[in-house]
Amino acid sequence: MSSYVLAQIYQSILNLIGGGGPGPMYPTHRTIRIGSRKSKLALVQTHLVRDALQAAYPDIDFEIVAMTTTGDNNQMKPLHSFGAKALWTQELEVLLLEDKLEMIVHSLKDMPTQLPHGCKIGAILEREDPRDALVMKAGSSYKSLEDLPEGSVVGTSSVRRSAQIKKRYPHLNFEDVRGNVGTRLAKLDDPESSYACLILAAAGLLRLDLGERITGYLSSPYLLHAVGQGALGVEIRDGDEDTAKLLQVLGHKETTLHCLAERSLMRTLEGGCSVPIGVETEAATDGQMLMRAVVVSLDGQNSVDVEERMEVADEEAADNFGRVVAGKLVAAGAGDILERINLNRDSVNT
């Protein structure tokens, strides 16, 4: 975690103390159990949260409870065939609802926009770089997608990525690649593999100290990132006010508002990990929130994109902004694209 992020966390702590607000009611020496997937990236991200909480509350013990999820157990089946993002979260959510965990740390982009009854997002941390990253095979002389010869194979597990790239670079081919980041990189670098490059989330590579593998960053107008990409979300039980108060020191307002608007957009469009919806959200120069969003057909031949801005001061306004942007997309024809995708879901090629 960067010194800037830590400074923001500590400043939040000072603000809470200075404001005289009541702190969490946890007794000292209580153990707070934090759920995580067992992958290396998931554990790195969970340790970022645990370490920040431990620094803020030295008298509380924070224990990481790691487990393997449905998505981790099956590394061969294409993501779209699972049908929902809950494959990364549902086993951990069972433990949360059974009071065997106090919180779960997720990559926010892996969290369904409709959480199970009794669960809610307790905090969204400051966003890492949300862009996608181009990673060329080790030793490759190519530096960009434009450089790749016709028929070159791009490895990605995301129809959002493949659909947008097909639109710009129809000369490229795409193959699914599953596994954790290390496994995917090993598949890429295997001299016998067909992959010329991979497209991965920059945030994961940076958190794993693999930034040197990034050949280049991809962003608009070529590739808009996934909803919530780059942010960490902490899930808690609805009604657990003590844990909610404890997490106040971690929440980052701008990231929270941006990500809630993005999640509202996706929820309205009923999109998921197998639907090509891309976004970019930022603070405009006039203080408003600016969102770019795109929906692309699976073959990249049809697309609808919009750019909207609105004054967004709180979570309710962020939720409304997402719905407004979704409405603009539908009015421009995105609904027809999504309907065709849903009718042909068996042909989705992640």
Side-chain angles (χ1 to χ4, degrees), residues 133-138 140-149 151-157 161 165 169 171-177 184-185 187-190 193-200 213-216 218:
L134 172 66
V135 181
M136 290 293 183
K137 187 187 289 285
S140 173
S141 61
Y142 300 115
K143 300 299 181 183
S144 68
L145 292 172
E146 293 96 330
D147 295 340
L148 292 173
S152 295
V153 175
V154 179
T156 176
S157 297
R161 292 171 179 146
I165 295 172
Y169 307 104
H171 69 290
L172 300 177
N173 294 332
F174 298 84
E175 289 185 11
D176 184 69
V177 57
R184 296 186 194 196
L185 290 175
K187 290 178 179 179
L188 169 67
D189 294 337
D190 183 347
S193 81
S194 60
Y195 303 113
C197 65
L198 301 181
I199 309 296
L200 300 169
R213 288 303 309 264
I214 297 176
T215 306
L218 303 171

Side-chain angles (χ1 to χ4, degrees), residues 150-298:
E150 184 171 356
S152 295
V153 175
V154 179
T156 176
S157 297
S158 163
V159 294
R160 171 188 56 82
R161 292 171 179 146
S162 61
Q164 291 185 76
I165 295 172
K166 284 176 184 177
K167 177 184 175 184
R168 298 279 179 176
Y169 307 104
H171 69 290
L172 300 177
N173 294 332
F174 298 84
E175 289 185 11
D176 184 69
V177 57
R178 292 288 314 279
N180 60 40
V181 174
T183 299
R184 296 186 194 196
L185 290 175
K187 290 178 179 179
L188 169 67
D189 294 337
D190 183 347
E192 300 300 317
S193 81
S194 60
Y195 303 113
C197 65
L198 301 181
I199 309 296
L200 300 169
L205 292 166
L206 295 171
R207 289 183 179 129
L208 290 170
D209 293 324
L210 292 171
E212 75 280 355
R213 288 303 309 264
I214 297 176
T215 306
Y217 292 91
L218 303 171
S219 57
S220 63
Y222 305 104
L223 183 60
L224 274 64
H225 60 72
V227 165
Q229 187 160 305
L232 299 181
V234 184
E235 188 175 9
I236 64 174
R237 284 183 299 278
D238 195 6
D240 185 356
E241 296 304 321
D242 288 343
T243 301
K245 289 178 181 178
L246 183 148
L247 290 170
Q248 286 178 2
V249 298
L250 300 186
H252 186 261
K253 183 176 181 180
E254 181 176 89
T255 300
T256 298
L257 295 181
H258 287 181
C259 289
L260 290 180
E262 293 172 10
R263 285 171 63 80
S264 175
L265 164 74
M266 177 171 278
R267 187 184 306 114
T268 304
L269 294 176
E270 298 181 344
C273 57
S274 60
V275 175
I277 299 172
V279 295
E280 279 185 354
T281 311
E282 61 189 57
T285 54
D286 58 3
Q288 294 185 320
M289 184 182 295
L290 171 67
M291 182 186 290
R292 304 177 190 92
V294 65
V295 174
V296 188
S297 63
L298 298 180

